[in-house]
Amino acid sequence: FPEPFDFRFHSFPGIGASITLLESAALAALMKSVQAKRVFEFGTYKGVSTTQMAMNLSPDGLIYTLDLPEGGGDRVALQISKKSEREIAIETGKGSLIPKDLLRQIIFLKEDSARFDPKPLEGTMDLVFVDGAHSSDYVRNDTEKGWRMLREGGVIAWHDCVPSHPEVVKHLRSWIPQPILVHGTTLAFSKK
């Protein structure tokens, strides 16, 4: 980075299945590196990562965050192999932790990512964050759609690039350009 930059974060103690504060800082740095004004997130869940990105977005920026509709997690289009992820998919309260003052910069999309049409957003995103279901089919689907939405020079980042999510790791090992793992985190990224 040519000059120092500030980033903000919001603490969510005791919330599982989420990004860490170090991962929040890494996402903020990635956002700064591409001067992100338009961000797309696969997997809102409770809204922790959405909050961290919104807090580091320019005042005129916008985040699109996609997750299953409330009560729709039992009707997914692609296979979700892990029981714990199937349970998360049917949980209610998607985006419920996002502070109200950030909502003006967030567009919630309630749809299965396998059914989501990225065409209207192709080539418009500065950063795409993939953190939905971790099955091979969903990681492939979300990555390919995210890449299409990314502008030239934009960044795509993935969460949970660790051995406990082998299908994420396997998919990313075959992805070109080869993702870079952020040391000390479970984040990886590639630049378009």
Side-chain angles (χ1 to χ4, degrees), residues 112-128:
D112 186 332
S113 67
R115 294 182 179 101
F116 172 71
D117 179 10
K119 191 162 181 63
L121 299 175
E122 282 183 9
T124 65
M125 295 297 144
D126 301 307
L127 183 125
V128 172

Side-chain angles (χ1 to χ4, degrees), residues 35-166:
Q35 299 174 349
K37 289 187 177 185
R38 291 177 56 94
V39 174
F40 193 96
E41 174 184 45
F42 286 94
T44 313
Y45 190 46
K46 299 294 183 185
V48 173
S49 54
T50 316
T51 297
Q52 308 303 12
M53 290 186 292
M55 291 184 77
N56 292 287
L57 196 61
S58 65
D60 60 339
L62 194 58
I63 294 178
Y64 294 82
T65 185
L66 174 72
D67 210 317
L68 294 164
E70 295 290 326
D74 58 342
R75 296 181 301 275
V76 294
L78 303 173
Q79 182 180 2
I80 298 177
S81 50
K82 286 187 175 182
K83 180 183 179 205
S84 60
E85 290 204 19
R86 288 191 305 273
E87 291 170 353
I88 286 174
I90 61 173
E91 278 189 39
T92 58
K94 307 272 171 79
S96 60
L97 296 178
I98 299 171
K100 291 190 184 343
D101 64 317
L102 298 176
L103 294 176
R104 63 182 168 71
Q105 289 185 277
I106 300 168
I107 295 175
F108 293 91
L109 304 170
K110 301 293 185 176
E111 187 175 2
D112 186 332
S113 67
R115 294 182 179 101
F116 172 71
D117 179 10
K119 191 162 181 63
L121 299 175
E122 282 183 9
T124 65
M125 295 297 144
D126 301 307
L127 183 125
V128 172
F129 185 47
V130 178
D131 192 22
H134 297 81
S135 69
S136 182
D137 290 340
Y138 272 105
V139 174
R140 182 181 322 100
N141 174 79
D142 298 353
T143 298
E144 289 172 359
K145 288 179 179 181
W147 192 256
R148 288 171 49 197
M149 289 187 287
L150 206 58
R151 68 164 170 83
E152 198 63 37
V155 169
I156 187 169
W158 300 267
H159 189 230
D160 294 320
C161 304
V162 290
S164 60
H165 291 287

